[in-house]
Amino acid sequence: MPDWTTHVIAGWLTGKAIKRDVTIVVVGSLLPDVFKIQLLFDFLKIDTHGFFDPLHTPIGTILVALLISLLFEMHKLAFFLLLVGASTHYFLDFFLIHVSDGIRLFFPLSWKGYQIHAISSGNYWVTIIAILAIIFYFLFKKFSHA
Amino acid sequence: MDGGKERDRRIKMRKTVALVSISILLLLMTYSYIEHDEKDPDMAYIIKNFEKFEGKKVDFAGRFVSCNGSVTKLKLMEPPYCIVNVTGKILNVSLHKGDVVEVLGIMQEPHKIKAEKIYVIKSFEYSLIFIRSLPAIPFVAYLFFRKWKFNFKKFIFEERDHA
């Protein structure tokens, strides 16, 4: 996983780019990592036996986004924005290096994982580039209004 | 009167969608739980059922413990959190205690794997992922709740007046 800061910045920039409510897009950018509740069970040494795995698949994310969107008056727009954010998450995760496996795009029809294997999850340069991108965005905005 | 009926219809629709979504999600999670050993077995199952996996490819992640000659010892990061001995490709890599090693290799004995492919994340780089993630949580919470507040009566998020 890239770190959450990178995911959030990617979601924020995407929200700004499509000129929509960034707050919902940013929440969507972390949505697939609801799966990280797993870490709590790992810490407690409780074997969840893959129970939470579907939360980090497109179908699981769509269902979670659908549930959250029901908490908004404009639920269709909220659902769309949550999915836009989640898409940025999967896009970034897609480039991570692993020895095998990857994102189960077609779960539950297929358990095959897909991955491009390009960037190490320990690579902090991705975060630095994301932070620079957000700084450039603010500078560009400031000077374009001046 | 019509407004009230429309509101009731919308609440009913939301409840139905929520119920269906939760049901499908729970079904998927249960399916994943049941099929886990067959489709994506973890090391606890593999070690326990070694005869099914002997000579087959397995993958796992572990933390580097020590290296004794041709054998590298890794502590599994998943149940049963035991030590496994890894031979093969891993010998060419410089490792330090705590480094995270992903291994794809051939199962030779219950606790012995011949690595074909490995991927190492240095211990400090692995910790840094979590440290870099921490600022995101308060940032997202601040960003979201600055614009939205939860109405417990209507059970929906509403925009704050100043937003």
Side-chain angles (χ1 to χ4, degrees):
Chain A
M1 57 162 187
D3 57 86
W4 283 350
T5 301
T6 309
H7 279 307
V8 165
I9 293 173
W12 193 87
L13 289 170
T14 307
K16 285 287 177 191
I18 61 170
K19 294 185 169 66
R20 293 288 186 170
D21 188 339
V22 284
T23 61
I24 301 178
V25 180
V26 161
V27 170
S29 72
L30 292 181
L31 217 53
D33 275 351
V34 171
F35 152 82
K36 294 287 175 208
I37 194 170
Q38 175 76 50
L39 290 176
L40 178 69
F41 290 90
D42 288 347
F43 178 74
L44 298 169
K45 308 227 172 201
I46 297 169
D47 185 7
T48 54
H49 212 68
F51 184 72
F52 295 110
D53 290 0
L55 295 174
H56 202 276
T57 63
I59 183 71
T61 303
I62 288 169
L63 290 167
V64 175
L66 188 59
L67 280 169
I68 295 174
S69 69
L70 296 174
L71 299 174
F72 291 87
E73 195 72 61
M74 21 57 102
H75 54 90
K76 282 180 189 164
L77 179 63
F79 179 61
F80 168 73
L81 295 176
L82 286 168
L83 288 189
V84 168
S87 306
T88 65
H89 184 108
Y90 283 117
F91 179 77
L92 289 176
D93 275 5
F94 211 51
F95 291 93
L96 294 180
I97 300 172
H98 291 291
V99 288
S100 67
D101 216 354
I103 301 168
R104 290 180 187 145
L105 290 178
F106 304 110
F107 181 86
L109 302 174
S110 163
W111 287 62
K112 187 174 162 43
Y114 297 87
Q115 204 76 25
I116 289 177
H117 305 289
I119 302 166
S120 164
S121 51
N123 189 334
Y124 46 80
W125 281 102
V126 180
T127 317
I128 292 171
I129 291 167
I131 292 169
L132 286 175
I134 215 163
I135 291 170
F136 277 123
Y137 170 84
F138 279 116
L139 287 175
F140 178 76
K141 201 178 166 188
K142 188 179 175 186
F143 287 113
S144 63
H145 283 289
Chain B
M1 194 74 175
D2 282 348
K5 272 187 182 174
E6 175 63 17
R7 204 189 68 189
D8 288 348
R9 192 191 65 81
R10 286 176 73 175
I11 290 171
K12 202 175 171 185
M13 185 273 291
R14 278 174 193 227
K15 279 182 182 171
T16 310
V17 173
L19 197 68
V20 171
S21 304
I22 291 170
S23 304
I24 298 172
L25 200 55
L26 283 175
L27 272 174
L28 287 174
M29 290 163 93
T30 309
Y31 169 65
S32 172
Y33 181 88
I34 292 168
E35 288 293 310
H36 187 62
D37 288 339
E38 286 302 316
K39 309 277 189 181
D40 182 31
D42 53 33
M43 285 305 279
Y45 182 78
I46 291 169
I47 290 170
K48 204 174 169 185
N49 299 278
F50 168 68
E51 62 288 349
K52 273 175 83 175
F53 295 92
E54 188 179 8
K56 289 187 178 169
K57 275 189 184 178
V58 297
D59 67 279
F60 65 92
R63 284 200 184 256
F64 176 73
V65 176
S66 64
C67 186
N68 304 322
S70 61
V71 178
T72 302
K73 290 183 183 298
L74 299 179
K75 188 177 184 208
L76 291 178
M77 292 174 75
E78 59 182 277
Y81 304 103
C82 61
I83 302 284
V84 290
N85 299 313
V86 182
T87 60
K89 201 173 178 174
I90 203 161
L91 296 170
N92 309 325
V93 183
S94 159
L95 292 169
H96 299 95
K97 199 169 179 180
D99 286 351
V100 174
V101 186
E102 282 186 29
V103 179
L104 176 69
I106 305 290
M107 200 74 192
Q108 293 183 320
E109 290 170 26
H111 291 85
K112 190 176 173 189
I113 291 115
K114 187 182 180 190
E116 286 193 342
K117 196 176 171 186
I118 64 153
Y119 170 59
V120 180
I121 306 175
K122 295 286 172 199
S123 178
F124 81 94
E125 283 181 348
Y126 190 75
S127 305
L128 216 56
I129 297 171
F130 295 96
I131 293 166
R132 291 200 310 266
S133 292
L134 284 178
I137 303 163
F139 175 72
V140 172
Y142 167 75
L143 200 68
F144 186 81
F145 287 107
R146 197 180 63 157
K147 177 162 185 181
W148 302 96
K149 63 177 177 187
F150 196 69
N151 183 328
F152 286 93
K153 272 187 178 174
K154 293 183 183 171
F155 213 72
I156 55 166
F157 283 105
E158 289 175 340
E159 280 194 58
R160 288 185 189 273
D161 296 337
H162 64 78

